[in-house]
Amino acid sequence: MNARLDWSSRAGGPLRGDVRVPGDKSVSHRGLMLAAIADGSSRIRGFLEGEDTRATAAVLAQLGVRIDAPSPGERIVHGVGLHGLRRSEQPLDCGNAGTGMRLLAGLLAGQAFDSTLVGDASLSKRPMRRVTDPLAQMGARIDTRDGMPPLRLHGGSALCGIHYELPIASAQVKSALLLAGLYAGGTTEVIEPHPTRDYTERMLAAFGWPITFEPGRARLEGGHRLRATDVEVPADFSSAAFFLVAASMVPGSELRLPAVGLNPRRTGLLQALRLMGADIRVERLREAGGEPVGDLLVRHAPLHGIELPAALVPDMIDEFPVLFVAAAAAAGRTVIRGAAELRVKESDRIATMATGLRTLGVAIEETPDGAIIDGGRIGAGTVESLTDHRIAMSFAVAGLTAAGPVRINDCRHVATSFPGFLDLANGCGFVLQDGG
Ligand code: S3P
């Protein structure tokens, strides 16, 4: 990880142009993992060249998988088959990536060999029992440090499929159990309290594994094989989100975001922003790589506060930091509830956003599972990203209509999910500088 990096964001002119955001993080992680244990070679196009997904590629390479990178955004993964992974003597470093660690825990729980998964300071504080408890029910033996990383997985456990009702909506936990289920005897079935992103299910089917799934439920049996297939990664809606809010906020703006993934389990922010008065259109809606994809056209529109419908929360779980900014810029009150999961992301996103927005003069009341934000005016000041990539980018958006510069401390983690954000943002009209 590079040295500390501070940013300064300030108001400029309208935002204009085409903004091509990088590949989807969730799809990139899963593409690598499934291709790694498939028979034959798979090509991944649109791969996110982020630190999180590169960490997963490096872990798989440590486990004996050859991965070629013929060009940026492209990987050829030479699959080793379901039982072809090999023990690594060294710990497997997932970096900042919760998705990487939790999915790899599922993938590695049923292997014949031991593994140790480690992460950076932020990941080392994130809860892992949500995945290790159900994996233990399947027969896995995993040691944690008080429920947190490192995870020591003991090899040679015979896994058994379970029927598991998730206590919280989590695509990561669901995916970990499905990956472990590939190695388990019998049926693994996962029921969710609210449907979450279904990339693992769709991709398992594309790799030829028999699976039945519908929103809120997925079921598979062990003992099949995966066949190599090519993976097309759409642009990441979560990265597009910063530009959707930015262009909505700045008068005179008009941005086009081509080929963005529009899986309905990801687009809650689109609906929330439209309820707030945003002008966002989907053009050329089509299917690519088995996923709905479209070009997003966003124009400035005055935003107003809303009571966020609770049903949207899981479909926009990564977009709350930037929604907080939209709410701070909007006229009137926005009420967010039912989003307690935000407290265990790369930072406690409710507290980090509330502290930062308050520093910028915004009236915001933190609640255990959300916030009440009285928007209208954003002031100048210095805020902390707490090394959380999405917090850093969200405050860069806040600077666009702020009364003076917004300085954002420690933005080096932005490259975990959005390499090149600074150049892309400045290219369409942000005034964002590094070096504070
Ligand atoms: C992800 C699931 C979500 C999300 C994360 C990516 C995934 O996490 O926040 O950025 O790829 O499965 P949870 O499963 O913890 O909600």
Side-chain angles (χ1 to χ4, degrees):
M1 181 63 55
N2 6 333
R4 181 196 167 91
L5 194 68
D6 301 334
W7 283 354
S8 161
S9 174
R10 64 184 75 220
L15 307 179
R16 297 244 165 203
D18 281 13
V19 179
R20 208 165 270 280
V21 301
D24 188 278
K25 183 156 70 73
S26 295
V27 177
S28 297
H29 278 300
R30 287 158 171 83
L32 285 173
M33 290 185 206
L34 294 193
I37 55 166
D39 297 319
S41 299
S42 305
R43 186 184 297 269
I44 306 177
R45 286 197 186 83
F47 177 75
L48 170 65
E49 296 287 357
E51 285 165 4
D52 279 12
T53 41
R54 285 182 176 185
T56 290
V59 165
L60 293 168
Q62 258 178 275
L63 295 167
V65 182
R66 209 177 98 217
I67 302 177
D68 299 330
S71 67
E74 191 180 4
R75 291 292 183 280
I76 297 171
V77 182
H78 302 282
V80 294
L82 203 62
H83 297 285
L85 296 177
R86 295 286 165 259
R87 176 184 179 171
S88 163
E89 296 299 325
Q90 301 304 318
L92 304 166
D93 190 352
C94 302
N96 191 246
T99 307
M101 183 173 283
R102 293 192 178 118
L103 269 59
L104 284 166
L107 181 66
L108 296 175
Q111 304 291 336
F113 52 84
D114 295 354
S115 309
T116 302
L117 293 168
V118 299
D120 71 2
S122 152
L123 182 53
S124 299
K125 287 192 239 143
R126 296 184 64 188
M128 292 294 149
R129 286 217 171 96
R130 53 182 60 199
V131 20
T132 57
D133 281 354
L135 287 173
Q137 285 181 32
M138 294 177 80
R141 286 175 302 136
I142 308 175
D143 303 327
T144 65
R145 188 186 47 85
D146 263 347
M148 290 179 287
L151 304 184
R152 275 200 53 81
L153 296 103
H154 300 275
S157 313
L159 301 189
C160 207
I162 54 168
H163 170 97
Y164 189 70
E165 298 194 8
L166 285 174
I168 40 164
S170 166
Q172 293 178 357
V173 178
K174 169 179 66 176
S175 301
L177 301 187
L178 293 175
L179 291 173
L182 305 182
Y183 294 89
T187 304
T188 298
E189 184 172 37
V190 188
I191 313 284
E192 304 174 281
H194 186 288
T196 63
R197 63 193 77 188
D198 56 1
Y199 299 124
T200 307
E201 297 91 308
R202 288 174 187 239
M203 211 183 278
L204 279 168
F207 276 82
W209 196 283
I211 175 166
T212 52
F213 62 99
E214 60 192 67
R217 180 186 296 262
R219 183 188 160 99
L220 55 73
E221 277 170 19
H224 299 279
R225 300 195 71 84
L226 296 165
R227 280 190 314 269
T229 190
D230 291 348
V231 176
E232 204 173 318
V233 183
D236 199 322
F237 183 87
S238 297
S239 297
F242 302 106
F243 295 93
L244 296 180
V245 172
S248 297
M249 281 167 49
V250 181
S253 297
E254 178 171 331
L255 292 179
R256 183 182 302 276
L257 302 154
V260 178
L262 297 174
N263 181 305
R265 300 280 73 85
R266 295 293 299 284
T267 49
L269 180 79
L270 198 59
Q271 294 178 57
L273 287 175
R274 282 179 174 155
L275 291 174
M276 296 174 82
D279 176 359
I280 304 172
R281 276 180 234 171
V282 177
E283 296 182 340
R284 296 202 316 126
L285 185 61
R286 56 209 183 264
E287 207 180 280
E291 287 288 332
V293 162
D295 303 343
L296 297 176
L297 182 68
V298 52
R299 294 199 180 101
H300 164 72
L303 300 180
H304 55 81
I306 55 165
E307 291 235 359
L308 184 74
L312 289 182
V313 170
D315 295 346
M316 53 181 291
I317 196 65
D318 291 331
E319 282 63 76
F320 277 93
V322 80
L323 176 77
F324 275 48
V325 172
R333 174 167 286 193
T334 294
V335 181
I336 297 163
R337 291 194 201 90
E341 267 299 292
L342 298 179
R343 296 208 179 267
V344 290
K345 293 294 179 188
E346 284 82 334
S347 70
D348 174 343
R349 287 184 171 161
I350 296 176
T352 318
M353 286 308 299
T355 306
L357 286 175
R358 224 174 274 127
T359 302
L360 302 181
V362 176
I364 172 164
E365 186 191 323
E366 202 181 310
T367 63
D369 65 346
I372 301 165
I373 302 166
D374 287 305
R377 186 184 173 279
I378 299 177
T382 300
V383 299
E384 301 296 330
S385 81
L386 295 188
T387 72
D388 183 331
H389 53 133
R390 297 200 202 284
I391 301 281
M393 291 184 275
S394 298
F395 279 118
V397 174
L400 289 171
T401 60
V406 173
R407 295 204 162 78
I408 313 151
N409 283 337
D410 211 351
C411 301
R412 69 195 138 140
H413 281 67
V414 165
T416 58
S417 69
F418 203 149
F421 174 78
L422 197 103
D423 289 342
L424 213 53
N426 284 330
C428 73
F430 279 61
V431 186
L432 184 59
Q433 291 170 321
D434 56 17

